[in-house]
Amino acid sequence: MSMPKYERVASAIRDQIQSGELRPGDQLPTTQGLIDYYGVSYGSVRTALLILKAEGLIEGRQGEGVFVREQSDR
């Protein structure tokens, strides 16, 4: 059984954050950019971002975009 698309996207972004490829303060691509890159629907990207936000890995800034959060436990 394959992983749901939203979980695949969330996992890929999570891995980039944990590996240091995406660092605190880095901006994630736009929603459309993520849709194009991962080949998934708007709903899959939104769900993936909501998961990462709930995990405290990213934050949305009104009118600016989505950014990797500073990790307070390091």
Side-chain angles (χ1 to χ4, degrees):
M1 193 166 121
S2 66
M3 188 185 294
K5 289 177 182 174
Y6 66 84
E7 187 55 58
R8 192 165 45 84
V9 174
S11 181
I13 295 171
R14 188 183 300 115
D15 289 348
Q16 288 178 313
I17 292 170
Q18 290 170 344
S19 72
E21 191 179 331
L22 283 172
R23 296 196 303 281
D26 283 354
Q27 185 171 4
L28 269 60
T30 62
T31 300
Q32 188 59 52
L34 292 169
I35 289 167
D36 294 343
Y37 185 80
Y38 291 105
V40 297
S41 69
Y42 173 81
S44 293
V45 168
R46 290 298 308 149
T47 303
L49 295 179
L50 286 170
I51 290 168
L52 296 170
K53 207 171 283 188
E55 292 174 358
L57 293 174
I58 62 170
E59 63 183 355
R61 298 183 196 158
Q62 189 65 41
E64 291 183 49
V66 179
F67 297 82
V68 178
R69 281 189 55 188
E70 299 287 340
Q71 300 304 309
S72 55
D73 59 343
R74 287 189 190 168

